[in-house]
Amino acid sequence: MTLLGRDADLAAMRELLASARESRGGGLVIRGEGGVGKTALLRAAEEEAAGAGMRVLRATGVETESELPFASLHQVLAPGLDRLGALPAPQAAALRGAFGLSAERVDDRFLISLGALGLLADLADEGPLLVSVDDAQWLDRPSAEALGFVARRLVAEPIALLFAAREGDARRFDGPGIPDRRVAGLERAAARALLEASAGGAVAPHVAERLVTVTGGNPLALVEMPQLLEPDQLAGRRPLPEHLPLTSRLEQSFAERARGLDEGARAVLAVAAADDTGALGVVAAAAARLGAGAEAIEAAERSGLLGIAGDRVTLRHPIARAALHRGLALGARRAAHLALAEVLSGDDEADRRAWHRAAAAIAPDEAIAAELERTAERAGLRSGHAAAAAALERAARLSADDAARARRLVAAAEAAWQAGRAPLAQGLADEAEALAGDDALRNRVRSVRAAIAMVRGRPADAHALLLEAAAHAPDPAVRADLLLRAGEAAAAAGDAAGLARADERAAGLPAGVAVAGRAWLAGVRRAAEGRIAEALEPLRAASAASEGEDDPRQLVWSSNADAWLGDLDRTLVLQRRAIELARARGALGTVAVALTRRGALLAWHGRVHEAWADGEEALRLTEEAGIENSTAQARAVLAGVAALRGDEDACREHAERALAQAARRGLLATWETTTFALSELALARRRYEEALERLAQMAAGGRRVMTPLAHHAAVPRLVEAAVRAGRPEAAAAPLERFARWAGLTGAPGAAALLLRCRGLVAGGEEGLALLEAAVAEPDPARWSLSRARSELFLGEALRRARRRGEARAALRPALEAFEGLGATAWADRAREELAATGESLRRRDPGAVAALTPQERRIARSVAEGSSNKEVASQLFLSPKTVEYHLGKVFQKLGIGSRADLAALGVDAFA
């Protein structure tokens, strides 16, 4: 296909196709105003791809189909649905449910996206693919999300994903994370050539110049213009009209052309514009119900507005569809929709039928509203939550009374929230609240608003809403859930009084209701208030509740209880299990939140590479899912990683963004994790006053809830900063609290930390003896940041006592541990101390494993554990080809050649 003046645009698409053929997949969004030639560019790309041996899969967004969940995704994947059995079972089940091929319920929309990625990757095993999506602004939202998810993950697959999206419509295709290319009007020479070709001959130079100028080179306007002007006007023998039908008026010109036809042809065009099946049989049957037969269809085709190829019907241009649908008389449009609703009579057409009836409705109609409600139920079962929200909102508008309208608005708000459309959910909830006439509905509104506040707003607001909802909930189980959520919100906001209120109300619930959750709430409340002795029993009960548990939320509660008890190993085991369960279910949002929690804990304990991998993945996933508050926490984790690695610029960049969000939203955990990271950086750089100031703020407590990080993890750092700054008294109270906690919990490693703290405070010979005792405490970890720091402090004290040989003996293992952990900032300190003892050191080669990226390290670890590429892909929301690509990089960097070689290195090599 030859396109005038589109060499640069064609070159960009050819580059995309060439990269895909070389297994370097990617996506591209072509944007432009209506008529600028996006569809022609797509057709050119499809022709080129087919000529190069690529398989082409197509989808087209249709305005009247934009509320049918997964309609466009089905267009793309239909040729591969016989391969569903090759996917992991949860993904295959998700796609079957989404496409109505089974009655299975799909609880997470990201699992459908992952299934789409897997199915396309499987198709691409037979040869490179081009997925071509036209009119992307009219994609139904679930399809747009799934295809965007795929496009962002095309790394090593022979797949090109090309979208064309119209600018200027009320609805737009955002395509976050996918490269954009804006298509403008043609240059003057190409525009004149197209104009003359459309006119079938020469156009007077001054006429051509004006037409090119006023159309802005828009190809559709240039093609249409000769048909809208008289020959004498084109030849310059008569003046042009004062108001030319420019791009913004092309819709009107199409509608005017239709209005010039007879009634039968207009009816055919009205039906074709309202139809979303593209089937000639459907259009003909509906037109017949309006009295339009074969002659009318032929007349519509002769007008140039309708095209027929085999059993398919198309309109001249997407703009023509919009023009006809909106430009014809209201009565004609309503009649077309009603005729289509009558023709689409099968059970499998219930959703289309409902939407056509709704489009024809001009007054409240309870029967149609009920139909739409059933459509929403079906969409929800297929994880088409955005489509469900649209159906419920329209049903609300058609409701006959305020009670039904309020109920449907609440359900629409809930569906919009599940779809990740928080602003829409908030607006619907606000509207519903004004109409809600009973406590049950008002509580559902509060629940939606609280969920939004926890993820994208202020947890303190969520706490107030949830407490109010709990006060009006008659069902004890529902009340318990609301109170537990209120406790979580209070803890997230650092509201000690709010946490206490939630706990006190939960204590009044009937025995046997939410036992594990209430234990967590009671234990955390008491621990946060410093009442450790009273907290132990409920915390242990909450921890024990994890046995056999498969609910990731419950596992997170239990792991938090174990963090308060100081059992790092068990905390990490539970967090890992929560993440694995969430990954297996495709619950991307749950995975993202859990990764921020585990990443923070790993960073606290100096496990740099693992924390880095968790933080990076969490940042990517939370940004994709729109979980803004967890995005801030992911940045806090990465600030801690950068601090340990000695990267001050990266630490401060992440910290500034995290702290800004924490301040706006009142996010305690984010503030603490970031403050801890900045204090770690200050300690490594020997800026003790700065570290002391930050850590003292964390340890202050008061009316603020204390977390395990502030209560005991930060205390050894605070003692170090206070002693080095010459102000040991500043750490006296927190150290006493730490000692009580260590004695009561018997937490692994706490005894060694307490000895170290007392050694730093004591100084002199007594201090040396205490530090030696701290180092002598058993430590089963291969590399322990805590032990390494004790060795460093012992080495420093020995060097100051001029016992250089003994100092070197303490400092060498400290250096080795810091380097093994990836704690570069602390390794530099240990190296400086060793040099001060007179030891000549060469900087250690960090080894090949250190060259791996966090993503490569995670993949290497999973493969070393025995996971297949497909299993790793499913865990990490990637395609098998991408895993294979990264694994190749791992082999190259490590100088090995097989999975067996990787397994021989052992899982711990990638910790």
Side-chain angles (χ1 to χ4, degrees), residues 344-482:
L344 297 168
S345 57
D347 290 344
D348 58 342
E349 296 290 2
D351 294 341
R352 281 191 169 93
R353 189 165 58 248
W355 275 109
H356 281 302
R357 292 188 67 197
I362 56 175
D365 188 314
E366 188 58 31
I368 298 175
E371 274 191 70
L372 284 172
E373 199 164 14
R374 290 190 290 273
T375 288
E377 289 172 8
R378 288 188 289 271
L381 289 172
R382 295 154 57 193
S383 198
H385 302 301
L392 287 162
E393 182 180 9
R394 180 66 176 135
R397 309 301 175 213
L398 292 172
S399 297
D401 59 69
D402 283 350
R405 186 173 297 111
R407 177 175 56 79
R408 287 163 178 152
L409 283 170
V410 171
E414 291 168 337
W417 169 244
Q418 287 179 288
R421 302 182 67 180
L424 174 61
Q426 184 73 60
L428 291 167
D430 290 346
E431 189 175 352
E433 186 174 36
L435 296 172
D438 60 70
D439 284 340
L441 275 184
R442 282 193 286 268
N443 264 9
R444 287 170 64 187
V445 171
R446 292 173 188 130
S447 184
V448 169
R449 294 174 69 183
I452 296 169
M454 280 295 291
V455 170
R456 298 167 61 102
R458 295 179 56 81
D461 296 339
H463 170 72
L465 287 164
L466 291 164
L467 277 186
E468 187 177 3
H472 293 88
D475 185 333
V478 172
R479 192 158 69 250
D481 183 68
L482 291 166

Side-chain angles (χ1 to χ4, degrees), residues 94 126 254 265 290 446 600 610 664 808 831 837 843 852 868:
E126 294 183 354
F254 282 129
L290 300 177
R446 292 173 188 130
E610 294 170 90
R664 285 195 299 271
R808 285 194 286 269
R831 194 175 292 106
T837 67
R843 188 171 291 270
L852 300 180
S868 68

Side-chain angles (χ1 to χ4, degrees), residues 10 19 26 60 125 139 174 219 221 252 282 355 357 410 498 523 558 575 601 647 661 678 720 730 775 893 908:
L10 290 169
S19 294
T60 301
D125 281 343
L139 291 177
D174 292 322
Q252 181 181 340
V282 171
W355 275 109
R357 292 188 67 197
V410 171
S558 296
Q575 288 176 337
L601 185 62
D647 187 343
Q661 183 82 316
L678 291 168
E720 178 193 350
V775 170
K893 290 179 180 180
D908 287 344

Side-chain angles (χ1 to χ4, degrees), residues 593-619:
V593 173
L595 284 170
T596 64
R597 295 185 178 227
R598 186 177 70 175
L601 185 62
L602 289 166
W604 301 348
H605 291 275
R607 292 166 64 168
V608 176
H609 300 302
E610 294 170 90
W612 192 5
D614 278 2
E616 285 211 334
E617 186 181 6
L619 181 62

Side-chain angles (χ1 to χ4, degrees), residues 3-17:
L3 295 178
L4 291 170
R6 293 299 186 208
D7 292 348
D9 299 314
L10 290 169
M13 293 191 303
R14 288 184 184 121
E15 183 180 351
L16 178 72
L17 298 177

Side-chain angles (χ1 to χ4, degrees), residues 5-6 8-10 12 28-33 36-38 41 163-168 172-175 178-185:
R6 293 299 186 208
D9 299 314
L10 290 169
L28 179 65
V29 182
I30 297 172
R31 300 189 186 278
E33 64 179 356
V36 81
K38 303 179 297 298
L41 285 168
F163 300 91
R166 180 177 172 184
E167 297 284 78
R172 59 175 279 120
F173 174 75
D174 292 322
I178 309 171
D180 257 25
R181 183 175 182 85
R182 277 177 165 70
V183 180

